Amino acid sequence: MAGEQEMTFWDHLDVLRSDIIRMLLVWIVCSVVAFCLKDQMFDIVLAPKDSSFISYRLIGVQPYNIKLVNIGITEQFLIHMKTAMLFGVVAALPYLLYVLYRFVAPGLYVRERRYASRLIIAGYAMFMVGLLVNYFIVFPLTLRFLATYSVSAEVGNMLSLQSYMDTLLMMSLTFGIVFEIPVLSWLLAVFGLLKAEWMRRYRKHAFVAVVIIAAVITPTSDAFTLAIVSLPIWLLYEASVLIVARTESAADKSEAEI
């Protein structure tokens, strides 16, 4: 447009630097707020270890309690800081994604901007759903099985806070990534790299893969727990089939109109 000047490489670099500084500041502020709200934050994080947790009440789990111990002189303070930083990332993530999109959007075509915005929104939403599914279903069942499992009545379990937090973080991240399956499937379908016909043809193979993934995520011999873990992943696969089919149909319709 008249009157506009094309930005140079250094202009873009200055904009990127300003965006990174703003993103870091927002993340730090969210992390500090989470750090100050220590009691509320750890009430959420440690809730699955008690039999009064809502998920246990819904399925009628017998009362039990897991006692966590601290085995390092600086462990509790470091875990407090790390947990606050992670809560800060989750709280600031919508703003961080918005800033990144705003930076790259001027270099995209209108259609690419539309796809990029959908990808970011859907990816964020599915990641959060994955975190919630793990927090309310997968992690509590896994924790109960592993924390109460014993090879002998003479051998008791003593769980460290570090082990508890590492397991929760690992499983949350894993399920957040697994729940991106529909988003990834849609993106591959947009580029013509994935077909609904292929997904239907290899549905049996996919079911076996889902069970294997569920067994890896939740290392338990309990068939009920394995089914609980496998069900959301299988539903994600079936939803992906529908999404890919709909994407193909929309693409065919667009080509016909052209």
Side-chain angles (χ1 to χ4, degrees), residues 2 5 8 11 18 38 49 59 65 83 98 110 114 118 120 125 130-131 136 156 189 225 243 253:
Q5 295 181 351
T8 65
D11 292 333
S18 299
K38 181 185 68 173
K49 74 180 183 63
I59 62 177
N65 186 45
T83 305
Y98 167 73
V110 176
R114 185 169 62 251
R118 291 178 181 176
I120 291 175
L131 294 184
F136 284 105
T225 303
I243 291 172
K253 184 178 180 180

Side-chain angles (χ1 to χ4, degrees), residues 10-252:
W10 299 110
D11 292 333
H12 285 289
L13 192 61
D14 288 338
V15 173
L16 178 60
R17 182 181 59 184
S18 299
D19 287 343
I20 292 176
I21 292 175
R22 282 195 292 269
M23 292 165 65
L24 288 175
L25 288 176
V26 171
W27 172 48
I28 291 173
V29 169
C30 292
S31 298
V32 170
V33 172
F35 186 88
C36 296
L37 299 175
K38 181 185 68 173
D39 294 339
Q40 293 84 347
M41 180 172 64
F42 279 96
D43 283 344
I44 296 174
V45 171
L46 300 179
K49 74 180 183 63
D50 298 322
S51 59
S52 59
F53 189 57
I54 183 172
S55 300
Y56 297 138
R57 296 201 306 267
L58 291 177
I59 62 177
V61 172
Q62 296 181 353
Y64 81 98
N65 186 45
I66 299 174
K67 183 70 174 181
L68 299 179
V69 297
N70 175 47
I71 59 177
I73 189 172
T74 61
E75 185 174 289
Q76 293 201 58
F77 179 74
L78 293 178
I79 288 177
H80 182 192
M81 290 187 60
K82 182 171 68 174
T83 305
M85 293 172 65
L86 294 175
F87 267 71
V89 171
V90 174
L93 192 55
Y95 177 77
L96 304 183
L97 294 175
Y98 167 73
V99 172
L100 289 176
Y101 171 77
R102 188 180 60 181
F103 177 77
V104 302
L108 303 176
Y109 293 108
V110 176
R111 183 180 181 185
E112 293 173 341
R113 291 181 187 178
R114 185 169 62 251
Y115 284 150
S117 60
R118 291 178 181 176
L119 180 65
I120 291 175
I121 294 174
Y124 172 76
M126 293 305 297
F127 184 82
M128 295 304 298
V129 171
L131 294 184
L132 294 176
V133 169
N134 175 68
Y135 178 77
F136 284 105
I137 301 176
V138 181
F139 178 72
L141 296 177
T142 303
L143 175 67
R144 177 182 177 274
F145 174 81
L146 296 179
T148 58
Y149 182 85
S150 178
V151 296
S152 172
E154 299 179 359
V155 181
N157 291 327
M158 182 177 294
L159 301 182
S160 69
L161 178 61
Q162 183 69 54
S163 175
Y164 178 94
M165 295 300 299
D166 288 345
T167 304
L168 176 59
L169 174 60
M170 181 273 294
M171 295 186 65
S172 297
L173 180 61
T174 300
F175 263 79
I177 295 174
V178 167
F179 268 68
E180 298 295 335
I181 291 176
V183 181
L184 180 60
S185 299
W186 170 77
L187 185 62
L188 293 175
V190 168
F191 288 102
L193 300 177
L194 186 62
K195 303 293 183 182
E197 179 185 356
W198 302 345
M199 300 181 72
R200 296 189 185 100
R201 182 187 308 168
Y202 296 102
R203 182 177 272 118
K204 295 180 180 179
H205 302 78
F207 179 78
V208 175
V210 165
V211 174
I212 294 175
I213 293 174
V216 172
I217 295 176
T218 309
T220 172
S221 58
D222 184 358
F224 175 76
T225 303
L226 184 62
I228 290 296
V229 176
S230 301
L231 180 59
I233 303 178
W234 178 250
L235 291 177
L236 288 173
Y237 182 84
E238 293 296 334
S240 299
V241 175
L242 297 177
I243 291 172
V244 172
R246 184 173 180 179
T247 303
E248 292 176 354
S249 177
D252 294 340

